[in-house]
């Protein structure tokens, strides 16, 4: 033990370790970050089964294909400055995923959005982009709004289960984690839970994205769920476990879950608002100055 302390203490004279500590990366330092852009993207259709790591790889390829002037970290293994915020679980669709990128040259946010959207596969769609004008973005992601489709469940049955769940002050559920089974309350962070009215008109699905969640001739209940972000995070499947525990609601097939929004929570109405609104409001009037034009995405 004394030998280890001598080698690792302040007074060690190991020449090899000292040389390693003095090493610096070859070449010039990376260009500084001159602009940051926040992006909203989706996971739709079969792409909901992509993991967060899968999306990271696809997004970094899109950055290269679009010739985005990325800022890079320093060190021996530089990587593009990309920050992800509160990604949805694998297998869950989403209309409201967010990330932030740092640029070494200024770009027009909308032009950048179009280039990246063209470079990503269909289903991973970049639908909004704003220049960063405010701080503490992650803190604004206070809650998520979810649409939970329960195929094979009558809306009346779902309504009774929702009423029973909301009547409880605490609903304990179990979740298997990497550290074992964890028990926590799935009720306390639920800000809103309701059964949406049927959207079938005259025996045929009505037009629009929402109508495609209702299949004619089969019972189907669709829930609107708003959950505050907390630790541990309460997910839609935890609420479904709570519905099973309080009202014995057990859908015959797995639920289809879509995140519709995440952002600041209006406690009075139980709605989730746009987290990018403050950046838009703080943006100056007039066009954004950009650097050299870049080539469009190639196949």
């Amino acid at each position: 033990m004394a030998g280890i302390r001598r080698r690792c203490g302040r007074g060690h004279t190991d020449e090899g370790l000292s040389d390693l500590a003095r090493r610096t990366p070859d070449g010039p330092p990376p260009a500084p970050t001159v602009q940051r852009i926040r992006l909203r993207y989706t996971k739709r259709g079969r792409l909901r089964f992509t993991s967060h790591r899968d999306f990271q790889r696809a997004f970094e390829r899109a950055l290269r294909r679009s010739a985005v002037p990325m800022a890079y970290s320093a060190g021996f293994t530089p990587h593009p400055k990309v920050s992800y915020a509160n990604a949805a679980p694998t297998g869950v669709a989403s209309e409201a995923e967010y990330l932030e990128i740092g640029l070494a040259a200024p770009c027009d946010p909308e032009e950048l959005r179009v280039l990246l959207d063209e470079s990503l596969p269909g289903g991973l769609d970049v639908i909004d982009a704003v220049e960063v004008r405010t701080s503490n973005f992650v803190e604004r992601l206070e809650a998520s709004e979810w649409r939970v489709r329960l195929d094979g469940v009558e809306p009346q049955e779902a309504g009774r289960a929702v009423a029973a769940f909301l009547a409880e002050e605490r609903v304990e559920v179990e979740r298997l984690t990497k550290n074992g089974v964890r028990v926590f309350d799935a009720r306390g962070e639920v800000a809103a839970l309701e059964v949406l009215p049927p959207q079938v008109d005259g025996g045929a699905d009505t037009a629009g994205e929402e109508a495609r969640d209702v299949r004619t001739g089969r019972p189907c209940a669709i829930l609107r769920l708003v959950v505050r972000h907390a630790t541990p995070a309460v997910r839609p499947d935890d609420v479904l476990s709570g519905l099973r525990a309080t009202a014995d609601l057990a859908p015959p097939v797995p639920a289809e879950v879509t995140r519709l929004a995440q952002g600041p929570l209006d406690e009075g109405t139980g709605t989730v608002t746009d987290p990018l609104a403050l950046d838009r409001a703080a943006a100056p009037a007039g066009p954004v100055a950009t650097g050299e034009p870049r080539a469009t995405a190639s196949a």
Side-chain angles (χ1 to χ4, degrees):
M1 181 64 70
I4 294 176
R5 289 175 178 170
R6 283 195 298 271
R7 289 194 298 271
C8 298
R10 290 185 178 180
H12 77 79
T13 58
D14 191 313
E15 185 176 352
L17 289 177
S18 299
D19 291 342
L20 182 62
R22 288 195 296 268
R23 286 183 59 195
T24 57
D26 297 330
T33 301
V34 301
Q35 185 187 37
R36 291 180 294 145
I37 302 291
R38 287 179 179 142
L39 302 170
R40 176 182 176 182
Y41 67 95
T42 70
K43 289 172 59 178
R44 296 168 172 163
R46 291 184 298 175
L47 272 299
R48 69 183 183 274
F49 296 108
T50 57
S51 68
H52 182 55
R53 188 177 296 274
D54 292 333
F55 176 78
Q56 286 179 308
R57 286 193 290 263
F59 185 70
E60 290 189 12
R61 285 196 297 268
L63 291 172
R64 292 192 295 269
R65 293 179 61 189
S66 302
V68 176
M70 290 296 299
Y72 283 79
S73 63
F76 291 100
T77 56
H79 58 272
K81 291 187 176 181
V82 183
S83 300
Y84 300 89
N86 197 32
T90 302
V92 172
S94 179
E95 295 292 315
E97 301 297 287
Y98 294 94
L99 61 82
E100 180 180 308
I101 60 176
L103 304 179
C107 299
D108 178 77
E110 178 58 20
E111 291 181 3
L112 179 66
R113 184 200 69 78
V114 172
L115 284 174
L116 289 173
D117 187 54
E118 292 174 348
S119 299
L120 285 167
L124 299 178
D125 306 313
V126 183
I127 60 176
D128 205 353
V130 299
E131 184 173 3
V132 173
R133 297 284 180 178
T134 61
S135 59
N136 302 325
F137 177 75
V138 174
E139 294 179 7
R140 297 206 292 271
L141 302 181
E142 298 173 345
S144 287
E145 178 180 351
W146 303 90
R147 183 179 62 212
V148 184
R149 172 184 168 159
L150 304 177
D151 201 7
V153 176
E154 294 286 354
Q156 296 83 357
E157 180 185 3
R160 289 191 294 270
V162 166
F165 178 87
L166 294 177
E168 300 288 338
E169 292 186 0
R170 181 179 179 87
V171 178
E172 291 190 346
V173 299
E174 294 182 350
R175 184 197 299 165
L176 180 62
T177 69
K178 62 182 180 180
N179 296 321
V181 176
R182 185 169 188 176
V183 179
F184 59 94
D185 177 27
R187 172 63 183 92
E189 301 305 331
V190 174
L193 177 60
E194 60 182 337
V195 181
L196 297 180
Q199 298 170 352
V200 177
D201 184 15
D205 289 353
T206 57
E209 179 69 24
E210 295 290 336
R212 288 197 287 273
D213 288 334
V214 181
R215 298 168 184 172
T216 307
R218 300 182 61 181
C220 179
I222 298 180
L223 308 182
R224 173 182 173 270
L225 169 66
V226 177
V227 181
R228 301 179 189 88
H229 295 166
T231 303
V234 176
R235 302 173 180 172
D237 57 328
D238 299 320
V239 176
L240 291 175
S241 296
L243 292 172
R244 185 181 303 111
T246 56
D248 198 28
L249 181 67
V253 296
E256 295 181 12
V257 181
T258 302
R259 174 149 60 188
L260 301 179
Q262 62 171 322
L265 175 63
D266 186 332
E267 292 283 358
T269 61
T271 58
V272 178
T273 59
D274 183 11
L276 301 179
L278 290 179
D279 292 296
R280 292 193 184 91
V288 177
T290 60
E292 294 294 329
R294 296 171 305 283
T296 58
S298 57

